[in-house]
Short mmCIF file of all heavy atoms in Angstrom, two decimals:
data_model
loop_
_atom_site.label_atom_id
_atom_site.label_comp_id
_atom_site.label_asym_id
_atom_site.label_seq_id
_atom_site.Cartn_x
_atom_site.Cartn_y
_atom_site.Cartn_z
N MET A 1261 -16.37 -2.38 -8.08
CA MET A 1261 -15.00 -2.17 -7.67
C MET A 1261 -14.57 -3.29 -6.75
O MET A 1261 -15.33 -3.75 -5.91
CB MET A 1261 -14.88 -0.82 -6.97
CG MET A 1261 -13.48 -0.49 -6.59
SD MET A 1261 -13.44 1.23 -6.01
CE MET A 1261 -11.72 1.34 -5.69
N ARG A 1262 -13.35 -3.72 -6.89
CA ARG A 1262 -12.81 -4.79 -6.07
C ARG A 1262 -12.48 -4.30 -4.67
O ARG A 1262 -12.14 -3.14 -4.48
CB ARG A 1262 -11.54 -5.35 -6.71
CG ARG A 1262 -11.78 -5.98 -8.05
CD ARG A 1262 -10.49 -6.44 -8.66
NE ARG A 1262 -9.78 -7.36 -7.78
CZ ARG A 1262 -9.89 -8.67 -7.83
NH1 ARG A 1262 -10.69 -9.23 -8.70
NH2 ARG A 1262 -9.19 -9.43 -7.01
N ALA A 1263 -12.58 -5.19 -3.71
CA ALA A 1263 -12.20 -4.84 -2.35
C ALA A 1263 -10.70 -4.70 -2.27
O ALA A 1263 -9.96 -5.44 -2.91
CB ALA A 1263 -12.68 -5.93 -1.39
N GLY A 1264 -10.22 -3.73 -1.50
CA GLY A 1264 -8.79 -3.53 -1.31
C GLY A 1264 -8.28 -4.45 -0.22
O GLY A 1264 -8.79 -5.54 -0.02
N MET A 1265 -7.29 -3.98 0.50
CA MET A 1265 -6.71 -4.75 1.59
C MET A 1265 -6.94 -4.02 2.90
O MET A 1265 -7.01 -2.80 2.94
CB MET A 1265 -5.21 -4.94 1.35
CG MET A 1265 -4.90 -5.74 0.11
SD MET A 1265 -3.13 -5.87 -0.22
CE MET A 1265 -2.68 -7.10 1.00
N SER A 1266 -7.02 -4.78 3.98
CA SER A 1266 -7.19 -4.18 5.30
C SER A 1266 -5.85 -3.60 5.77
O SER A 1266 -4.79 -3.93 5.22
CB SER A 1266 -7.68 -5.23 6.30
OG SER A 1266 -6.65 -6.17 6.55
N LEU A 1267 -5.89 -2.77 6.81
CA LEU A 1267 -4.65 -2.24 7.39
C LEU A 1267 -3.76 -3.36 7.90
O LEU A 1267 -2.55 -3.31 7.76
CB LEU A 1267 -4.97 -1.26 8.52
CG LEU A 1267 -5.51 0.10 8.10
CD1 LEU A 1267 -5.88 0.92 9.33
CD2 LEU A 1267 -4.51 0.84 7.25
N ALA A 1268 -4.36 -4.40 8.46
CA ALA A 1268 -3.57 -5.53 8.96
C ALA A 1268 -2.84 -6.22 7.81
O ALA A 1268 -1.66 -6.56 7.93
CB ALA A 1268 -4.47 -6.51 9.69
N GLU A 1269 -3.52 -6.41 6.69
CA GLU A 1269 -2.89 -7.05 5.53
C GLU A 1269 -1.78 -6.17 4.97
O GLU A 1269 -0.71 -6.67 4.62
CB GLU A 1269 -3.93 -7.32 4.44
CG GLU A 1269 -4.92 -8.41 4.80
CD GLU A 1269 -6.06 -8.52 3.81
OE1 GLU A 1269 -6.57 -7.48 3.34
OE2 GLU A 1269 -6.45 -9.67 3.52
N LEU A 1270 -2.00 -4.85 4.89
CA LEU A 1270 -0.97 -3.95 4.40
C LEU A 1270 0.26 -3.97 5.29
O LEU A 1270 1.39 -3.94 4.82
CB LEU A 1270 -1.52 -2.52 4.31
CG LEU A 1270 -2.53 -2.25 3.20
CD1 LEU A 1270 -3.14 -0.86 3.39
CD2 LEU A 1270 -1.90 -2.38 1.83
N GLY A 1271 0.05 -4.04 6.60
CA GLY A 1271 1.16 -4.05 7.55
C GLY A 1271 2.02 -5.29 7.50
O GLY A 1271 3.14 -5.30 7.99
N GLU A 1272 1.52 -6.36 6.89
CA GLU A 1272 2.25 -7.62 6.82
C GLU A 1272 2.97 -7.83 5.49
O GLU A 1272 3.59 -8.86 5.28
CB GLU A 1272 1.29 -8.78 7.07
CG GLU A 1272 0.73 -8.78 8.48
CD GLU A 1272 -0.31 -9.88 8.70
OE1 GLU A 1272 -0.55 -10.68 7.78
OE2 GLU A 1272 -0.87 -9.92 9.80
N LEU A 1273 2.91 -6.85 4.59
CA LEU A 1273 3.53 -7.03 3.28
C LEU A 1273 5.05 -7.05 3.37
O LEU A 1273 5.65 -6.32 4.16
CB LEU A 1273 3.09 -5.90 2.34
CG LEU A 1273 1.61 -5.88 1.96
CD1 LEU A 1273 1.33 -4.63 1.12
CD2 LEU A 1273 1.23 -7.12 1.20
N PRO A 1274 5.71 -7.87 2.54
CA PRO A 1274 7.18 -7.89 2.49
C PRO A 1274 7.71 -6.65 1.77
O PRO A 1274 6.94 -5.79 1.32
CB PRO A 1274 7.48 -9.17 1.70
CG PRO A 1274 6.28 -9.37 0.85
CD PRO A 1274 5.11 -8.85 1.65
N ALA A 1275 9.03 -6.56 1.59
CA ALA A 1275 9.68 -5.39 0.98
C ALA A 1275 9.20 -5.12 -0.44
O ALA A 1275 9.10 -3.97 -0.86
CB ALA A 1275 11.19 -5.56 0.99
N VAL A 1276 8.94 -6.16 -1.19
CA VAL A 1276 8.36 -6.03 -2.53
C VAL A 1276 7.21 -7.01 -2.64
O VAL A 1276 7.20 -8.05 -1.99
CB VAL A 1276 9.37 -6.29 -3.69
CG1 VAL A 1276 10.44 -5.24 -3.72
CG2 VAL A 1276 9.96 -7.67 -3.60
N VAL A 1277 6.21 -6.64 -3.45
CA VAL A 1277 5.06 -7.52 -3.65
C VAL A 1277 4.86 -7.74 -5.14
O VAL A 1277 5.31 -6.95 -5.96
CB VAL A 1277 3.77 -6.94 -3.02
CG1 VAL A 1277 3.88 -6.87 -1.52
CG2 VAL A 1277 3.42 -5.58 -3.59
N ASP A 1278 4.19 -8.82 -5.48
CA ASP A 1278 3.90 -9.08 -6.89
C ASP A 1278 2.82 -8.10 -7.35
O ASP A 1278 2.15 -7.44 -6.56
CB ASP A 1278 3.46 -10.53 -7.10
CG ASP A 1278 2.20 -10.88 -6.33
OD1 ASP A 1278 1.12 -10.40 -6.72
OD2 ASP A 1278 2.30 -11.62 -5.34
N LEU A 1279 2.69 -8.00 -8.65
CA LEU A 1279 1.78 -7.03 -9.25
C LEU A 1279 0.33 -7.28 -8.84
O LEU A 1279 -0.43 -6.33 -8.62
CB LEU A 1279 1.92 -7.10 -10.78
CG LEU A 1279 1.20 -6.02 -11.56
CD1 LEU A 1279 1.75 -4.64 -11.22
CD2 LEU A 1279 1.31 -6.28 -13.04
N ILE A 1280 -0.06 -8.53 -8.72
CA ILE A 1280 -1.44 -8.85 -8.35
C ILE A 1280 -1.75 -8.35 -6.94
O ILE A 1280 -2.81 -7.79 -6.69
CB ILE A 1280 -1.69 -10.38 -8.44
CG1 ILE A 1280 -1.36 -10.90 -9.84
CG2 ILE A 1280 -3.12 -10.71 -8.06
CD1 ILE A 1280 -2.02 -10.16 -10.97
N THR A 1281 -0.81 -8.53 -6.01
CA THR A 1281 -1.01 -8.06 -4.64
C THR A 1281 -1.09 -6.53 -4.60
O THR A 1281 -1.95 -5.97 -3.92
CB THR A 1281 0.13 -8.56 -3.73
OG1 THR A 1281 0.15 -9.99 -3.76
CG2 THR A 1281 -0.04 -8.09 -2.30
N ALA A 1282 -0.20 -5.86 -5.33
CA ALA A 1282 -0.24 -4.39 -5.40
C ALA A 1282 -1.57 -3.93 -5.99
O ALA A 1282 -2.18 -2.99 -5.48
CB ALA A 1282 0.93 -3.87 -6.23
N GLY A 1283 -2.01 -4.59 -7.04
CA GLY A 1283 -3.30 -4.24 -7.64
C GLY A 1283 -4.43 -4.43 -6.65
O GLY A 1283 -5.33 -3.59 -6.56
N LYS A 1284 -4.39 -5.52 -5.90
CA LYS A 1284 -5.44 -5.78 -4.91
C LYS A 1284 -5.47 -4.67 -3.87
O LYS A 1284 -6.55 -4.19 -3.50
CB LYS A 1284 -5.20 -7.13 -4.23
CG LYS A 1284 -6.23 -7.46 -3.18
CD LYS A 1284 -5.97 -8.80 -2.53
CE LYS A 1284 -7.01 -9.08 -1.46
NZ LYS A 1284 -6.72 -10.32 -0.74
N ALA A 1285 -4.30 -4.22 -3.41
CA ALA A 1285 -4.24 -3.14 -2.42
C ALA A 1285 -4.86 -1.86 -2.97
O ALA A 1285 -5.44 -1.07 -2.23
CB ALA A 1285 -2.79 -2.89 -2.01
N LEU A 1286 -4.74 -1.67 -4.29
CA LEU A 1286 -5.28 -0.47 -4.93
C LEU A 1286 -6.70 -0.66 -5.45
O LEU A 1286 -7.29 0.27 -6.00
CB LEU A 1286 -4.36 -0.06 -6.09
CG LEU A 1286 -2.95 0.35 -5.69
CD1 LEU A 1286 -2.07 0.47 -6.92
CD2 LEU A 1286 -2.98 1.64 -4.91
N GLY A 1287 -7.23 -1.87 -5.34
CA GLY A 1287 -8.57 -2.15 -5.84
C GLY A 1287 -8.61 -2.32 -7.35
O GLY A 1287 -9.63 -2.08 -7.98
N ILE A 1288 -7.46 -2.74 -7.93
CA ILE A 1288 -7.36 -2.94 -9.37
C ILE A 1288 -7.29 -4.44 -9.64
O ILE A 1288 -6.53 -5.16 -8.97
CB ILE A 1288 -6.09 -2.27 -9.94
CG1 ILE A 1288 -6.10 -0.77 -9.64
CG2 ILE A 1288 -5.95 -2.51 -11.43
CD1 ILE A 1288 -4.79 -0.07 -9.96
N GLY A 1289 -8.03 -4.93 -10.61
CA GLY A 1289 -8.03 -6.34 -10.94
C GLY A 1289 -6.75 -6.80 -11.64
O GLY A 1289 -5.93 -5.98 -12.08
N ARG A 1290 -6.59 -8.10 -11.76
CA ARG A 1290 -5.41 -8.71 -12.35
C ARG A 1290 -5.15 -8.23 -13.78
O ARG A 1290 -4.05 -7.79 -14.11
CB ARG A 1290 -5.58 -10.23 -12.33
CG ARG A 1290 -4.52 -11.00 -13.04
CD ARG A 1290 -4.91 -12.48 -13.14
NE ARG A 1290 -4.01 -13.17 -14.04
CZ ARG A 1290 -2.94 -13.83 -13.64
NH1 ARG A 1290 -2.63 -13.90 -12.37
NH2 ARG A 1290 -2.17 -14.43 -14.53
N THR A 1291 -6.15 -8.33 -14.63
CA THR A 1291 -5.97 -7.97 -16.04
C THR A 1291 -5.59 -6.50 -16.19
O THR A 1291 -4.65 -6.17 -16.91
CB THR A 1291 -7.25 -8.28 -16.84
OG1 THR A 1291 -7.55 -9.67 -16.70
CG2 THR A 1291 -7.09 -7.92 -18.31
N LYS A 1292 -6.30 -5.63 -15.49
CA LYS A 1292 -6.02 -4.20 -15.57
C LYS A 1292 -4.64 -3.88 -15.00
O LYS A 1292 -3.91 -3.04 -15.54
CB LYS A 1292 -7.09 -3.39 -14.83
CG LYS A 1292 -6.98 -1.91 -15.05
CD LYS A 1292 -7.22 -1.57 -16.51
CE LYS A 1292 -7.30 -0.08 -16.74
NZ LYS A 1292 -7.51 0.26 -18.14
N SER A 1293 -4.24 -4.57 -13.93
CA SER A 1293 -2.91 -4.36 -13.36
C SER A 1293 -1.82 -4.66 -14.39
O SER A 1293 -0.88 -3.88 -14.56
CB SER A 1293 -2.70 -5.25 -12.13
OG SER A 1293 -3.53 -4.83 -11.07
N TYR A 1294 -1.95 -5.79 -15.09
CA TYR A 1294 -0.97 -6.13 -16.12
C TYR A 1294 -1.00 -5.15 -17.28
O TYR A 1294 0.05 -4.76 -17.80
CB TYR A 1294 -1.16 -7.57 -16.61
CG TYR A 1294 -0.49 -8.57 -15.71
CD1 TYR A 1294 -1.23 -9.33 -14.81
CD2 TYR A 1294 0.89 -8.73 -15.73
CE1 TYR A 1294 -0.61 -10.23 -13.97
CE2 TYR A 1294 1.52 -9.63 -14.87
CZ TYR A 1294 0.76 -10.38 -14.00
OH TYR A 1294 1.39 -11.28 -13.17
N GLU A 1295 -2.19 -4.73 -17.68
CA GLU A 1295 -2.29 -3.74 -18.77
C GLU A 1295 -1.56 -2.45 -18.39
O GLU A 1295 -0.81 -1.90 -19.19
CB GLU A 1295 -3.76 -3.42 -19.07
CG GLU A 1295 -4.52 -4.51 -19.78
CD GLU A 1295 -6.00 -4.19 -19.92
OE1 GLU A 1295 -6.45 -3.09 -19.52
OE2 GLU A 1295 -6.72 -5.06 -20.43
N LEU A 1296 -1.80 -1.98 -17.18
CA LEU A 1296 -1.16 -0.74 -16.72
C LEU A 1296 0.35 -0.90 -16.60
O LEU A 1296 1.11 0.00 -16.98
CB LEU A 1296 -1.76 -0.31 -15.38
CG LEU A 1296 -3.22 0.15 -15.41
CD1 LEU A 1296 -3.76 0.34 -13.99
CD2 LEU A 1296 -3.38 1.42 -16.22
N ALA A 1297 0.81 -2.03 -16.07
CA ALA A 1297 2.25 -2.27 -15.93
C ALA A 1297 2.93 -2.34 -17.30
O ALA A 1297 3.99 -1.74 -17.51
CB ALA A 1297 2.51 -3.54 -15.14
N GLN A 1298 2.33 -3.04 -18.22
CA GLN A 1298 2.93 -3.20 -19.55
C GLN A 1298 2.97 -1.90 -20.32
O GLN A 1298 3.88 -1.67 -21.11
CB GLN A 1298 2.18 -4.28 -20.33
CG GLN A 1298 2.44 -5.66 -19.77
CD GLN A 1298 1.51 -6.73 -20.33
OE1 GLN A 1298 0.54 -6.43 -21.01
NE2 GLN A 1298 1.82 -7.98 -20.01
N SER A 1299 2.02 -1.00 -20.06
CA SER A 1299 2.00 0.28 -20.76
C SER A 1299 2.77 1.36 -20.01
O SER A 1299 2.85 2.50 -20.47
CB SER A 1299 0.55 0.74 -20.98
OG SER A 1299 -0.06 1.06 -19.74
N GLY A 1300 3.32 1.00 -18.85
CA GLY A 1300 4.06 1.97 -18.04
C GLY A 1300 3.17 2.94 -17.29
O GLY A 1300 3.62 3.99 -16.85
N GLU A 1301 1.89 2.58 -17.10
CA GLU A 1301 0.93 3.47 -16.46
C GLU A 1301 0.47 3.00 -15.08
O GLU A 1301 -0.46 3.58 -14.52
CB GLU A 1301 -0.27 3.66 -17.38
CG GLU A 1301 0.08 4.33 -18.69
CD GLU A 1301 -1.11 4.49 -19.62
OE1 GLU A 1301 -2.25 4.51 -19.13
OE2 GLU A 1301 -0.88 4.57 -20.83
N PHE A 1302 1.10 1.96 -14.53
CA PHE A 1302 0.72 1.53 -13.19
C PHE A 1302 1.00 2.70 -12.25
O PHE A 1302 1.98 3.41 -12.43
CB PHE A 1302 1.51 0.28 -12.77
CG PHE A 1302 0.90 -0.45 -11.62
CD1 PHE A 1302 -0.18 -1.29 -11.79
CD2 PHE A 1302 1.41 -0.30 -10.34
CE1 PHE A 1302 -0.76 -1.96 -10.73
CE2 PHE A 1302 0.85 -0.96 -9.26
CZ PHE A 1302 -0.24 -1.80 -9.45
N PRO A 1303 0.14 2.95 -11.25
CA PRO A 1303 0.26 4.17 -10.45
C PRO A 1303 1.52 4.31 -9.60
O PRO A 1303 1.75 5.36 -9.02
CB PRO A 1303 -0.98 4.15 -9.57
CG PRO A 1303 -1.67 2.89 -9.81
CD PRO A 1303 -1.05 2.19 -10.95
N CYS A 1304 2.35 3.29 -9.49
CA CYS A 1304 3.64 3.44 -8.82
C CYS A 1304 4.67 2.60 -9.58
O CYS A 1304 4.34 1.88 -10.51
CB CYS A 1304 3.56 3.06 -7.34
SG CYS A 1304 3.01 1.39 -6.99
N ARG A 1305 5.93 2.73 -9.17
CA ARG A 1305 7.02 2.07 -9.88
C ARG A 1305 6.84 0.55 -9.89
O ARG A 1305 6.49 -0.05 -8.87
CB ARG A 1305 8.36 2.44 -9.23
CG ARG A 1305 9.56 1.92 -9.97
CD ARG A 1305 10.83 2.55 -9.44
NE ARG A 1305 11.00 2.34 -8.01
CZ ARG A 1305 12.05 1.75 -7.47
NH1 ARG A 1305 13.05 1.32 -8.22
NH2 ARG A 1305 12.14 1.62 -6.17
N VAL A 1306 7.11 -0.05 -11.03
CA VAL A 1306 7.04 -1.50 -11.20
C VAL A 1306 8.41 -1.97 -11.67
O VAL A 1306 8.97 -1.43 -12.62
CB VAL A 1306 5.95 -1.90 -12.22
CG1 VAL A 1306 5.97 -3.40 -12.46
CG2 VAL A 1306 4.58 -1.45 -11.75
N LEU A 1307 8.96 -2.96 -10.99
CA LEU A 1307 10.24 -3.55 -11.36
C LEU A 1307 10.00 -4.80 -12.18
O LEU A 1307 9.18 -5.63 -11.79
CB LEU A 1307 11.05 -3.90 -10.11
CG LEU A 1307 11.24 -2.79 -9.08
CD1 LEU A 1307 11.87 -3.35 -7.82
CD2 LEU A 1307 12.07 -1.67 -9.66
N ARG A 1308 10.71 -4.95 -13.27
CA ARG A 1308 10.58 -6.16 -14.08
C ARG A 1308 11.78 -7.04 -13.79
O ARG A 1308 12.93 -6.65 -14.03
CB ARG A 1308 10.52 -5.76 -15.57
CG ARG A 1308 10.31 -6.93 -16.51
CD ARG A 1308 8.84 -7.33 -16.51
NE ARG A 1308 8.66 -8.56 -17.24
CZ ARG A 1308 8.14 -8.65 -18.46
NH1 ARG A 1308 7.74 -7.57 -19.09
NH2 ARG A 1308 8.00 -9.81 -19.04
N VAL A 1309 11.55 -8.21 -13.23
CA VAL A 1309 12.60 -9.17 -12.91
C VAL A 1309 12.28 -10.44 -13.69
O VAL A 1309 11.40 -11.20 -13.30
CB VAL A 1309 12.67 -9.46 -11.40
CG1 VAL A 1309 13.79 -10.44 -11.09
CG2 VAL A 1309 12.85 -8.17 -10.61
N GLY A 1310 12.97 -10.61 -14.82
CA GLY A 1310 12.64 -11.71 -15.71
C GLY A 1310 11.23 -11.49 -16.24
O GLY A 1310 10.94 -10.45 -16.83
N LYS A 1311 10.37 -12.45 -16.01
CA LYS A 1311 8.98 -12.33 -16.45
C LYS A 1311 8.06 -11.82 -15.34
O LYS A 1311 6.86 -11.69 -15.54
CB LYS A 1311 8.48 -13.68 -16.94
CG LYS A 1311 9.17 -14.17 -18.19
CD LYS A 1311 8.60 -15.49 -18.65
CE LYS A 1311 9.28 -15.95 -19.93
NZ LYS A 1311 8.71 -17.19 -20.43
N THR A 1312 8.65 -11.54 -14.19
CA THR A 1312 7.87 -11.16 -13.02
C THR A 1312 7.84 -9.64 -12.84
O THR A 1312 8.85 -8.97 -13.02
CB THR A 1312 8.49 -11.80 -11.76
OG1 THR A 1312 8.55 -13.21 -11.94
CG2 THR A 1312 7.67 -11.49 -10.51
N TYR A 1313 6.68 -9.13 -12.48
CA TYR A 1313 6.53 -7.72 -12.13
C TYR A 1313 6.48 -7.61 -10.61
O TYR A 1313 5.69 -8.30 -9.97
CB TYR A 1313 5.22 -7.15 -12.70
CG TYR A 1313 5.18 -7.01 -14.19
CD1 TYR A 1313 4.60 -7.99 -14.99
CD2 TYR A 1313 5.69 -5.88 -14.81
CE1 TYR A 1313 4.54 -7.85 -16.37
CE2 TYR A 1313 5.65 -5.72 -16.19
CZ TYR A 1313 5.07 -6.71 -16.96
OH TYR A 1313 5.01 -6.56 -18.32
N LEU A 1314 7.31 -6.73 -10.05
CA LEU A 1314 7.33 -6.51 -8.60
C LEU A 1314 7.14 -5.03 -8.30
O LEU A 1314 7.60 -4.17 -9.05
CB LEU A 1314 8.67 -6.98 -8.01
CG LEU A 1314 8.98 -8.46 -8.17
CD1 LEU A 1314 10.40 -8.75 -7.69
CD2 LEU A 1314 7.99 -9.32 -7.42
N VAL A 1315 6.48 -4.75 -7.19
CA VAL A 1315 6.23 -3.38 -6.77
C VAL A 1315 6.85 -3.19 -5.39
O VAL A 1315 6.55 -3.96 -4.47
CB VAL A 1315 4.70 -3.10 -6.72
CG1 VAL A 1315 4.42 -1.71 -6.17
CG2 VAL A 1315 4.08 -3.27 -8.11
N PRO A 1316 7.71 -2.17 -5.22
CA PRO A 1316 8.28 -1.89 -3.90
C PRO A 1316 7.18 -1.48 -2.91
O PRO A 1316 6.41 -0.54 -3.17
CB PRO A 1316 9.24 -0.72 -4.15
CG PRO A 1316 9.52 -0.76 -5.63
CD PRO A 1316 8.26 -1.30 -6.25
N THR A 1317 7.10 -2.17 -1.80
CA THR A 1317 6.05 -1.93 -0.82
C THR A 1317 6.07 -0.50 -0.27
O THR A 1317 4.99 0.10 -0.15
CB THR A 1317 6.13 -2.97 0.32
OG1 THR A 1317 5.94 -4.26 -0.26
CG2 THR A 1317 5.05 -2.73 1.36
N PRO A 1318 7.23 0.10 0.05
CA PRO A 1318 7.20 1.48 0.55
C PRO A 1318 6.54 2.45 -0.43
O PRO A 1318 5.80 3.35 -0.02
CB PRO A 1318 8.68 1.83 0.75
CG PRO A 1318 9.33 0.51 1.00
CD PRO A 1318 8.59 -0.45 0.11
N GLU A 1319 6.76 2.26 -1.73
CA GLU A 1319 6.14 3.13 -2.72
C GLU A 1319 4.63 2.90 -2.79
O GLU A 1319 3.85 3.84 -2.96
CB GLU A 1319 6.79 2.93 -4.08
CG GLU A 1319 8.23 3.38 -4.08
CD GLU A 1319 8.94 3.17 -5.40
OE1 GLU A 1319 8.27 3.17 -6.46
OE2 GLU A 1319 10.17 3.03 -5.37
N LEU A 1320 4.22 1.66 -2.66
CA LEU A 1320 2.79 1.34 -2.65
C LEU A 1320 2.12 1.98 -1.43
O LEU A 1320 1.06 2.59 -1.55
CB LEU A 1320 2.60 -0.18 -2.64
CG LEU A 1320 1.17 -0.69 -2.57
CD1 LEU A 1320 0.37 -0.24 -3.79
CD2 LEU A 1320 1.17 -2.21 -2.45
N LEU A 1321 2.77 1.86 -0.26
CA LEU A 1321 2.20 2.45 0.96
C LEU A 1321 2.13 3.97 0.86
O LEU A 1321 1.16 4.57 1.32
CB LEU A 1321 3.02 2.02 2.18
CG LEU A 1321 2.94 0.52 2.52
CD1 LEU A 1321 3.88 0.21 3.67
CD2 LEU A 1321 1.53 0.09 2.82
N THR A 1322 3.15 4.59 0.25
CA THR A 1322 3.13 6.04 0.06
C THR A 1322 1.95 6.42 -0.83
O THR A 1322 1.22 7.38 -0.53
CB THR A 1322 4.45 6.53 -0.56
OG1 THR A 1322 5.51 6.23 0.36
CG2 THR A 1322 4.42 8.02 -0.85
N LEU A 1323 1.74 5.69 -1.90
CA LEU A 1323 0.62 5.95 -2.79
C LEU A 1323 -0.72 5.84 -2.05
O LEU A 1323 -1.65 6.60 -2.32
CB LEU A 1323 0.65 4.97 -3.98
CG LEU A 1323 -0.47 5.10 -5.00
CD1 LEU A 1323 -0.39 6.45 -5.72
CD2 LEU A 1323 -0.37 3.97 -6.01
N LEU A 1324 -0.77 4.94 -1.10
CA LEU A 1324 -2.00 4.73 -0.33
C LEU A 1324 -2.14 5.74 0.83
O LEU A 1324 -3.10 5.67 1.59
CB LEU A 1324 -2.04 3.30 0.21
CG LEU A 1324 -2.24 2.23 -0.86
CD1 LEU A 1324 -2.02 0.84 -0.27
CD2 LEU A 1324 -3.62 2.34 -1.47
N GLY A 1325 -1.17 6.65 0.95
CA GLY A 1325 -1.30 7.70 1.95
C GLY A 1325 -0.51 7.52 3.22
O GLY A 1325 -0.76 8.19 4.21
N TYR A 1326 0.47 6.63 3.21
CA TYR A 1326 1.34 6.45 4.36
C TYR A 1326 2.67 7.10 4.02
O TYR A 1326 3.49 6.50 3.34
CB TYR A 1326 1.50 4.96 4.70
CG TYR A 1326 0.19 4.32 5.04
CD1 TYR A 1326 -0.52 3.60 4.09
CD2 TYR A 1326 -0.36 4.50 6.30
CE1 TYR A 1326 -1.76 3.06 4.39
CE2 TYR A 1326 -1.60 3.96 6.60
CZ TYR A 1326 -2.28 3.23 5.65
OH TYR A 1326 -3.50 2.71 5.95
N PRO A 1327 2.91 8.36 4.45
CA PRO A 1327 4.09 9.13 4.06
C PRO A 1327 5.39 8.36 4.25
O PRO A 1327 5.61 7.76 5.29
CB PRO A 1327 4.05 10.34 4.99
CG PRO A 1327 2.63 10.46 5.39
CD PRO A 1327 2.09 9.04 5.42
N GLY A 1328 6.21 8.36 3.23
CA GLY A 1328 7.50 7.67 3.26
C GLY A 1328 7.38 6.18 3.14
O GLY A 1328 8.34 5.51 2.83
N GLY A 1329 6.23 5.63 3.38
CA GLY A 1329 6.04 4.20 3.28
C GLY A 1329 6.77 3.43 4.36
O GLY A 1329 6.61 2.24 4.51
N ALA A 1330 7.62 4.14 5.14
CA ALA A 1330 8.43 3.46 6.14
C ALA A 1330 7.61 3.09 7.36
O ALA A 1330 7.77 2.03 7.93
CB ALA A 1330 9.61 4.33 6.55
N GLY A 1331 6.70 3.99 7.76
CA GLY A 1331 5.86 3.71 8.91
C GLY A 1331 4.71 2.83 8.48
O GLY A 1331 3.72 3.30 7.95
N ARG A 1332 4.89 1.56 8.65
CA ARG A 1332 3.85 0.62 8.25
C ARG A 1332 2.57 0.90 9.01
O ARG A 1332 2.60 1.24 10.18
CB ARG A 1332 4.30 -0.82 8.51
CG ARG A 1332 5.54 -1.20 7.73
CD ARG A 1332 5.16 -2.12 6.69
NE ARG A 1332 6.30 -2.45 5.86
CZ ARG A 1332 6.34 -3.50 5.12
NH1 ARG A 1332 5.35 -4.36 5.11
NH2 ARG A 1332 7.37 -3.73 4.34
N PRO A 1333 1.42 0.72 8.34
CA PRO A 1333 0.16 0.94 9.05
C PRO A 1333 0.00 -0.07 10.18
O PRO A 1333 0.37 -1.23 10.03
CB PRO A 1333 -0.89 0.73 7.97
CG PRO A 1333 -0.21 0.02 6.86
CD PRO A 1333 1.25 0.32 6.98
N GLU A 1334 -0.49 0.40 11.29
CA GLU A 1334 -0.75 -0.49 12.41
C GLU A 1334 -2.08 -1.19 12.21
O GLU A 1334 -3.04 -0.57 11.76
CB GLU A 1334 -0.81 0.31 13.72
CG GLU A 1334 0.53 0.90 14.12
CD GLU A 1334 1.53 -0.15 14.50
OE1 GLU A 1334 1.14 -1.18 15.10
OE2 GLU A 1334 2.72 0.03 14.21
N PRO A 1335 -2.14 -2.48 12.52
CA PRO A 1335 -3.43 -3.18 12.43
C PRO A 1335 -4.45 -2.48 13.31
O PRO A 1335 -4.12 -1.94 14.35
CB PRO A 1335 -3.12 -4.59 12.96
CG PRO A 1335 -1.65 -4.74 12.75
CD PRO A 1335 -1.07 -3.35 12.92
N GLU A 1336 -5.70 -2.51 12.88
CA GLU A 1336 -6.76 -1.87 13.64
C GLU A 1336 -6.86 -2.47 15.03
O GLU A 1336 -6.68 -3.67 15.22
CB GLU A 1336 -8.09 -2.03 12.89
CG GLU A 1336 -8.08 -1.29 11.57
CD GLU A 1336 -9.33 -1.56 10.75
OE1 GLU A 1336 -10.29 -2.16 11.27
OE2 GLU A 1336 -9.32 -1.18 9.57
N GLY A 1337 -7.08 -1.61 16.02
CA GLY A 1337 -7.23 -2.08 17.39
C GLY A 1337 -5.93 -2.15 18.16
O GLY A 1337 -5.90 -2.61 19.27
N GLU A 1338 -4.81 -1.72 17.55
CA GLU A 1338 -3.55 -1.75 18.27
C GLU A 1338 -3.05 -0.37 18.54
O GLU A 1338 -3.28 0.56 17.89
CB GLU A 1338 -2.49 -2.53 17.47
CG GLU A 1338 -2.77 -3.99 17.47
CD GLU A 1338 -1.62 -4.79 16.92
OE1 GLU A 1338 -0.51 -4.26 16.75
OE2 GLU A 1338 -1.84 -5.97 16.67
#
């Protein structure tokens, strides 16, 4: 299984992230992330902008257990 992202990395994400970054946060590899997005089975909403797949960060954070996604995780030690 791939390593996910630390709380510090999650807290620094912009409003939307590319599919690869979202996959990394979920521990999903690049190829599987694209397969899931193309089949409509990625675990959260994916926006298609031209040829680019984007994932709204609040939805990703909610999926990871941060209710509402609005309260960004605090980096460890703060």
Side-chain angles (χ1 to χ4, degrees):
M1261 183 171 182
R1262 297 177 56 93
M1265 297 176 77
S1266 69
L1267 287 175
E1269 290 171 320
L1270 289 170
E1272 294 176 3
L1273 293 175
V1276 294
V1277 294
D1278 61 72
L1279 189 63
I1280 304 307
T1281 301
K1284 179 180 178 184
L1286 296 169
I1288 301 171
R1290 174 189 169 95
T1291 302
K1292 189 65 173 179
S1293 292
Y1294 277 104
E1295 287 174 3
L1296 292 171
Q1298 290 169 350
S1299 68
E1301 297 179 24
F1302 198 79
C1304 58
R1305 186 168 56 122
V1306 176
L1307 307 171
R1308 183 79 189 255
V1309 181
K1311 294 182 179 183
T1312 304
Y1313 290 97
L1314 298 173
V1315 175
T1317 300
E1319 294 179 27
L1320 177 62
L1321 293 175
T1322 298
L1323 179 65
L1324 291 170
Y1326 299 98
R1332 299 252 176 160
E1334 293 292 324
E1336 295 174 10
E1338 288 191 12

